[in-house]
């Protein structure tokens, strides 16, 4: 993971545990639960003093999200390959309270044979919750892999279904 993309960080408390938010020059570049898979580890970055607009917008969005309220998306700037960024953009089209299977998402992207590669890209999503990789489920509707853990995935989907 290219941590040089990030320039500033903030810790954000949530009902599902603390998150580390990181921003780049262009927007939110990372949002990770402690201990989640593909977490970059300790970031050698300055900590925000509370005045950064992108990180404040991220914190406000998360507060609204967990409160079941609509929110404004902060500017997003995840670093990844062209294919990963294409997959992450497609995740943004999955509405709260809805879900897609890996196969459905692959077909929607015109890459029906790439469900496995798509799954790997979903798993590498560096912006938890706001890029909603938790809305992707197995072909039979089962909850499969989530970098933040299946209990968190279950809680996020339950929260969205209750708010819908």
């Amino acid at each position: 993971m290219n941590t040089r993309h990030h320039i500033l960080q903030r810790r954000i408390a949530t009902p599902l545990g603390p998150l580390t938010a990181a921003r780049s020059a262009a927007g939110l570049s990372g949002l990770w639960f402690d201990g989640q898979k593909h977490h970059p580890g300790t970031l050698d970055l300055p900590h925000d003093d509370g005045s950064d607009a992108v990180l404040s917008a991220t914190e406000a969005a998360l507060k609204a999200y967990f409160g079941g309220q609509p929110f404004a998306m902060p500017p997003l700037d995840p670093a990844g390959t062209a294919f990963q960024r294409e997959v992450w953009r497609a995740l943004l089209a999955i509405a709260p309270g809805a879900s897609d299977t890996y196969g459905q998402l692959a077909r929607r992207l015109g890459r029906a044979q790439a469900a496995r590669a798509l799954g790997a890209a979903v798993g590498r999503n560096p912006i938890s919750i706001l890029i909603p990789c938790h809305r992707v489920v197995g072909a039979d509707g089962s909850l499969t892999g989530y970098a933040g853990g299946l209990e968190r995935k279950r809680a996020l989907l339950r929260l969205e279904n209750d708010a819908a």
Side-chain angles (χ1 to χ4, degrees):
M1 173 179 294
N2 178 5
T3 58
R4 290 179 290 177
H5 183 71
H6 313 297
I7 61 170
L8 190 65
Q9 66 179 315
R10 180 188 289 189
R11 296 283 289 167
I12 300 173
T14 78
L16 298 180
L19 290 162
T20 297
R23 71 156 301 165
S24 68
L28 183 66
S29 53
L31 191 61
W32 306 275
F33 286 106
D34 289 354
Q36 86 172 47
K37 194 174 181 182
H38 309 299
H39 189 294
T42 302
L43 297 173
D44 185 21
L45 300 172
H47 286 267
D48 175 40
D49 63 6
S51 64
D52 183 78
V54 169
L55 296 176
S56 292
T58 300
E59 190 162 0
L62 289 167
K63 182 177 180 180
Y65 172 84
F66 281 107
Q69 302 299 313
F71 60 89
M73 185 71 78
L76 302 177
D77 188 33
T81 67
F83 177 71
Q84 287 172 327
R85 289 190 314 271
E86 177 185 14
V87 170
W88 300 335
R89 278 190 301 275
L91 293 174
L92 291 167
I94 306 171
S99 62
D100 265 0
T101 67
Y102 293 95
Q104 288 170 326
L105 195 56
R107 285 188 295 281
R108 199 167 72 240
L109 289 172
R111 298 172 179 262
Q113 303 306 312
R116 189 171 297 244
L118 181 134
V122 169
R124 286 287 189 169
N125 169 24
I127 302 179
S128 296
I129 303 172
L130 297 182
I131 296 179
C133 54
H134 59 276
R135 295 180 189 150
V136 183
V137 299
D140 62 358
S142 63
L143 299 189
T144 59
Y146 179 63
L150 288 181
E151 284 304 312
R152 284 189 179 118
K153 182 173 186 164
R154 189 173 291 110
L156 293 169
L157 292 172
R158 187 173 31 248
L159 172 73
E160 291 179 6
N161 285 323
D162 290 348

